[in-house]
Amino acid sequence: PVFAGPQVQPWICKNTSNGLAAPSDAQCNSPTVFSFRYMNATTHTFQAYDPASPPPAASIATTTTDQGVTVPYIVRVERGAMDRGIYDLAVLSNPAAGWQPWASQSGWNHKVLYQFGGGTAPHHSNGAPISNLVDMALSRGFLVANNSLNTRGMNSNDVVSAEAVMMLKEHVAETYGAIRYTIGTGCSGGSIQQYVIAADYPGLLDGIQPNCSYQD
């Protein structure tokens, strides 16, 4: 933890049921895993992409980002453990090219859409992040991010949610490149987190899109 104080106990690491290796410590740390999806040009649905045996090029859609860059619509999905949660990142990516923070791939517009999940409950465990396969954002070049700690139906501690945002943004900046701005999105408990983080931790979110908010 960085600023959230003593961590809640007990805590159960559910890494193996969410696509990661067994944790190596009580912080739920596991090696990061990567996979790819592509947008099918005919069905307009995301499908698994195997770099070792790619589908026919004609079946892969193309997309033009809000920066005017046209690329094959292939998305890299990164899943890892952070702050005892499980995080996902998704971004347009050429599977044959690498990523360096000083040499970002051209498909990324250096903007982040950060997802917050609804509900409210203390699960005392990590779980699956929200799916980051958001066509409206990815097709325009956004990197889409969230940690399971940002789903209030799993973790109702808004301070820990803010800490997870800070840590994941730092990882993006150090791995993918500089972030131009970060926009939040989410409904109900996801709205609560956006309001609290924007008010109490200025700079983590540059804009918010709270949906289905309640007067209380």
Side-chain angles (χ1 to χ4, degrees):
V2 177
F3 60 73
Q7 293 179 314
V8 170
Q9 300 293 345
W11 193 265
I12 300 169
C13 300
K14 295 184 176 180
N15 295 35
T16 55
S17 60
N18 287 289
L20 295 175
S24 60
D25 54 30
Q27 293 294 312
C28 303
N29 288 315
S30 293
T32 304
V33 297
F34 299 91
S35 60
F36 290 89
R37 306 287 189 274
Y38 75 97
M39 180 64 76
N40 186 285
T42 302
T43 64
H44 200 71
T45 57
F46 285 107
Q47 298 182 12
Y49 179 98
D50 181 359
S53 181
S59 68
I60 303 173
T62 59
T63 188
T64 301
T65 71
D66 63 7
Q67 303 301 298
V69 178
T70 299
V71 295
Y73 200 160
I74 302 171
V75 175
R76 184 171 89 159
V77 178
E78 173 183 342
R79 174 164 291 190
M82 187 174 293
D83 207 17
R84 301 196 305 178
I86 297 174
Y87 75 86
D88 268 0
L89 299 173
V91 66
L92 291 172
S93 181
N94 177 357
W99 281 89
Q100 297 293 345
W102 52 84
S104 304
Q105 290 197 23
S106 62
W108 183 33
N109 62 13
H110 289 267
K111 305 170 187 177
V112 173
L113 179 71
Y114 207 106
Q115 298 197 93
F116 296 89
T120 182
H123 278 195
H124 292 265
S125 66
N126 57 22
I130 304 167
S131 172
N132 283 334
L133 296 178
V134 182
D135 176 40
M136 183 179 292
L138 292 169
S139 64
R140 288 159 171 78
F142 280 75
L143 181 149
V144 186
N146 79 99
N147 186 315
S148 60
L149 297 174
N150 303 126
T151 297
R152 211 166 189 273
M154 297 183 195
N155 165 54
S156 56
N157 188 323
D158 298 324
V159 179
V160 172
S161 175
E163 182 176 76
V165 173
M166 184 209 69
M167 288 185 175
L168 192 48
K169 286 187 62 178
E170 179 180 7
H171 173 65
V172 170
E174 293 176 346
T175 307
Y176 292 84
I179 298 172
R180 181 179 175 188
Y181 59 69
T182 303
I183 302 296
T185 188
C187 168
S188 190
S191 294
I192 291 173
Q193 293 171 86
Q194 292 177 77
Y195 289 131
V196 172
I197 292 172
D200 294 350
Y201 301 92
L204 290 183
L205 298 175
D206 300 294
I208 60 175
Q209 299 178 99
N211 302 304
C212 40
S213 300
Y214 300 97
Q215 288 85 345
D216 59 351

